[in-house]
Amino acid sequence: MVDAVLNQIRNTALIMGVIAFIGLALQKKSGTEITKGTVKTIIGFMIFSIGTSWLQKIVEDFMALFNAAFGISGVQTQPSVAAALALGKYGSVISIILIIGFISNLIIAKFTPFKAIFLTGQHFLYFACVIGLVLIAANIPMWITAIVGGILLGFVGAAFPTMCQPYMNKITGSDNLAIGHFSTIAYWLSGYIGKLIGKIEAKHKKKSDSSSVKLPKFFEMFRDFVFSIALFMVVTFYIVVFACMFTGHADIVYKMSGTDIWFIYPLIEGLQFSAGMSVLIYGVRQFIEEITAAFVAISEKYIPNSKPAVDAPAIFPFAPTAVLIGFIGAFIGSLVGMGAEIALASSVVT
């Protein structure tokens, strides 16, 4: 009986439902709202799990092709996939880190100068996974991992957005929105470099920004995240498939492509990966949206001067051309970086 109860506790979908239930109950929501929020949270996590299973199979196929083609260990750097694998093995402790992180974020925002309330739920989840895995790998006891990890998660959730606030204010023209994303150090560094370049231009009496750059209409399609993922995965699948064909591993390609024509197979796999990512993201957004809603009202009521830290897409409309330039640069840079790692016979390719 005890084992059965413990196994049930390890069901992460139910744990997420309990978290949402507690948050909504603390707000004294009606029974209907509590039930709806709890059920939607559980279903959202189940959808997330379905997307995870789909992506995991495609990633395994990709890695098999990659390793055969180049004879090295490749890593598919998708945070959603990594988070899914972590939750599958350590779902209970990561769920506790997540809930302690939410509470810690509110407390830190209440009593410190770091006023950001981190509302980008999926990134909060990803970082909870990272912190949990690092502490677990260091052989820290699970209960310490849960408490320390949660407090650390809450601290960075409040502090990191504050780092970028001067640049956010410049972009948005106000001080009522923060960036809720855990690439914050890179964003801060980019802003600092941009500031230095601006000073150099000012000395030469020049002034320019991304809004003055005219890009072809074609590039506007890259604003769509699903399309961008599809394009990247189709390109990378074609690279590894053709590499397999030219390095004497055509048998692996034929086996994996099954009834599909081998040179159509990369297109199908890349698009399927994007479809799986869409399912996964939909699930993440649903269960995180419900959990976040359970805490937002509390923060608004009890934490004056706090500001929401939201995901990057919320800022895109303020500088749409800069977004396109950034994506194109990152896409080209990732391909060049991967090519350089292969050419240098790196033991790991990202």
Side-chain angles (χ1 to χ4, degrees):
M1 181 63 183
V2 174
D3 289 340
V5 172
L6 291 176
N7 287 331
Q8 202 65 67
I9 291 174
R10 295 189 185 99
N11 187 316
T12 309
L14 293 181
I15 291 175
M16 292 295 179
V18 170
I19 293 172
F21 176 87
I22 293 172
L24 293 168
L26 288 174
Q27 293 181 57
K28 298 180 180 179
K29 296 288 186 178
S30 67
T32 301
E33 291 176 307
I34 292 174
T35 302
K36 180 182 176 182
T38 302
V39 171
K40 286 185 68 176
T41 299
I42 295 172
I43 293 174
F45 193 88
M46 289 178 174
I47 294 172
F48 168 74
S49 299
I50 292 170
T52 296
S53 300
W54 193 340
L55 288 180
Q56 189 171 346
K57 173 62 170 62
I58 297 174
V59 169
E60 288 172 356
D61 290 347
F62 177 84
M63 297 316 305
L65 290 166
F66 191 97
N67 294 339
F70 301 109
I72 49 183
S73 176
V75 178
Q76 177 59 42
T77 51
Q78 282 291 344
S80 303
V81 177
L85 296 175
L87 285 166
K89 191 167 185 179
Y90 302 108
S92 297
V93 68
I94 290 173
S95 297
I96 296 173
I97 290 174
L98 188 68
I99 185 64
I100 293 178
F102 271 121
I103 296 171
S104 299
N105 187 179
L106 298 179
I107 293 173
I108 292 168
K110 172 73 174 178
F111 296 106
T112 75
F114 305 131
K115 295 299 182 182
I117 306 297
F118 204 97
L119 299 181
T120 309
Q122 67 269 30
H123 281 277
F124 217 59
L125 174 64
Y126 301 157
F127 211 67
C129 292
V130 171
I131 293 172
L133 291 175
V134 169
L135 294 176
I136 290 169
N139 295 318
I140 305 297
M142 288 296 183
W143 68 273
I144 296 179
T145 293
I147 296 174
V148 173
I151 294 173
L152 180 59
L153 178 63
F155 173 77
V156 297
F160 276 21
T162 305
M163 292 174 56
C164 290
Q165 200 56 37
Y167 304 118
M168 278 293 296
N169 294 346
K170 189 173 182 62
I171 293 170
T172 63
S174 65
D175 188 28
N176 55 13
L177 196 66
I179 178 71
H181 201 284
F182 283 122
S183 295
T184 315
I185 294 175
Y187 300 152
W188 176 86
L189 180 61
S190 298
Y192 182 75
I193 293 172
K195 189 176 181 180
L196 292 179
I197 294 174
K199 289 182 178 179
I200 294 172
E201 286 190 329
K203 286 183 180 179
H204 293 83
K205 297 182 179 181
K206 294 180 179 179
K207 187 177 181 182
S208 63
D209 58 32
S210 61
S211 61
S212 62
V213 179
K214 300 297 181 182
L215 291 175
K217 203 79 172 173
F218 165 78
F219 289 113
E220 291 187 2
M221 67 178 70
F222 293 114
R223 293 179 182 176
D224 189 298
F225 173 76
V226 174
F227 174 81
S228 301
I229 288 291
L231 176 63
F232 181 79
M233 290 307 299
V234 167
V235 170
T236 51
F237 257 104
Y238 268 110
I239 290 173
V240 296
V241 165
F242 278 111
C244 281
M245 298 300 290
F246 289 127
T247 55
H249 297 286
D251 56 322
I252 297 177
V253 176
Y254 293 143
K255 180 180 179 181
M256 288 193 175
S257 59
T259 58
D260 294 319
I261 301 172
W262 73 267
F263 56 84
I264 300 296
Y265 167 72
L267 174 64
I268 295 173
E269 285 294 280
L271 295 179
Q272 284 186 339
F273 184 93
S274 182
M277 182 65 72
S278 299
V279 173
L280 184 147
I281 290 174
Y282 176 84
V284 168
R285 285 177 177 170
Q286 178 164 311
F287 79 78
I288 288 296
E289 180 182 345
E290 296 300 326
I291 291 175
T292 302
F295 290 90
V296 168
I298 296 174
S299 67
E300 289 176 345
K301 183 176 181 180
Y302 297 105
I303 308 175
N305 301 319
S306 63
K307 53 179 67 68
V310 296
D311 201 357
I315 301 130
F316 290 175
F318 292 99
T321 304
V323 173
L324 295 179
I325 293 172
F327 172 79
I328 294 167
F331 182 76
I332 295 172
S334 64
L335 293 179
V336 171
M338 187 172 70
E341 289 172 326
I342 293 171
L344 296 172
S346 171
S347 60
V348 175
V349 176
T350 56

